[in-house]
Amino acid sequence: MNASNHGNGSLDELDFSILKLLQKDGRMSFTVMAEKLGVSISNIRTRTGKLIEDKTIQIVGRVNPDKVGFHAYAHIKISVRPANMIEYVASQLLEYPEVSFLASTSGDFDLEVDVMCRDNSHLVQVVNERIALIEGVYQTKTDMYFKVLKIAQPDLSGLR
């Protein structure tokens, strides 16, 4: 497989096996991966490098938000008027450090965003003093998450 196959859905079984191992332990060494998968270390190093280079994966440390001081989570639905402002509003939201998820949607609302805030006061400030004041934001609907029970990456076995 060559590097041009990455990024367009043309990952092979070895690529998926590497991704699954890294999802379990992002710090797993190339040596351990090679042993588990029965291939050479250089093959693992090359494949992993290509997966990172083409942005199929990004290796990061995931923190537990509650343990580091984020105690207010919310899901916010946003209507934008006029509709040609959706991309502008989304670009503004992408700049907010509190935003952990942003998607354009169909239905009654145009955008959905998840935010992580220090506390309820911080959340109110983000919603009422920042998001609501973005040009084009017509309406918001905020749902609080009382307790986040699971945050996970997609299960890659569902693709095979």
Side-chain angles (χ1 to χ4, degrees):
M1 181 184 81
N2 61 44
S4 64
N5 287 340
H6 285 272
N8 65 6
S10 298
L11 303 177
D12 66 12
E13 290 301 321
L14 180 57
D15 293 321
F16 274 98
S17 295
I18 292 168
L19 294 173
K20 287 177 188 177
L21 289 175
L22 289 172
Q23 280 187 317
K24 289 179 184 172
D25 179 2
R27 296 177 57 197
M28 186 178 293
S29 72
F30 292 157
T31 302
V32 171
M33 282 193 275
E35 289 171 3
K36 287 181 178 277
L37 300 176
V39 298
S40 70
I41 296 169
S42 64
N43 196 351
I44 296 293
R45 183 180 299 111
T46 300
R47 293 290 188 105
T48 303
K50 288 178 182 177
L51 291 166
I52 292 169
E53 182 181 314
D54 69 20
K55 300 187 185 329
T56 300
I57 58 170
Q58 178 184 24
I59 299 174
V60 298
R62 181 184 296 178
V63 300
N64 179 327
D66 192 53
K67 290 192 180 273
V68 298
F70 293 105
H71 303 293
Y73 311 98
H75 178 77
I76 306 163
K77 297 175 183 178
I78 302 171
S79 289
V80 178
R81 299 291 180 272
N84 65 357
M85 296 287 292
I86 294 171
E87 284 187 36
Y88 171 77
V89 172
S91 72
Q92 297 302 299
L93 292 168
L94 286 171
E95 300 299 318
Y96 290 13
E98 296 87 356
V99 171
S100 61
F101 175 84
L102 174 63
S104 59
T105 61
S106 63
D108 294 335
F109 294 89
D110 302 299
L111 298 169
E112 292 192 16
V113 61
D114 286 352
V115 296
M116 293 185 200
C117 297
R118 292 181 304 276
D119 52 33
N120 287 346
S121 294
H122 182 202
L123 176 60
V124 168
Q125 177 201 17
V126 169
V127 174
N128 292 342
E129 298 174 23
R130 293 173 58 204
I131 293 175
L133 299 180
I134 297 172
E135 182 183 357
V137 170
Y138 174 72
Q139 177 184 10
T140 64
K141 180 179 186 255
T142 303
D143 295 314
M144 292 282 301
Y145 295 129
F146 290 132
K147 184 176 183 180
V148 176
L149 303 172
K150 179 179 179 179
I151 299 175
Q153 292 293 306
D155 180 356
L156 297 175
S157 62
L159 297 174
R160 295 284 174 191

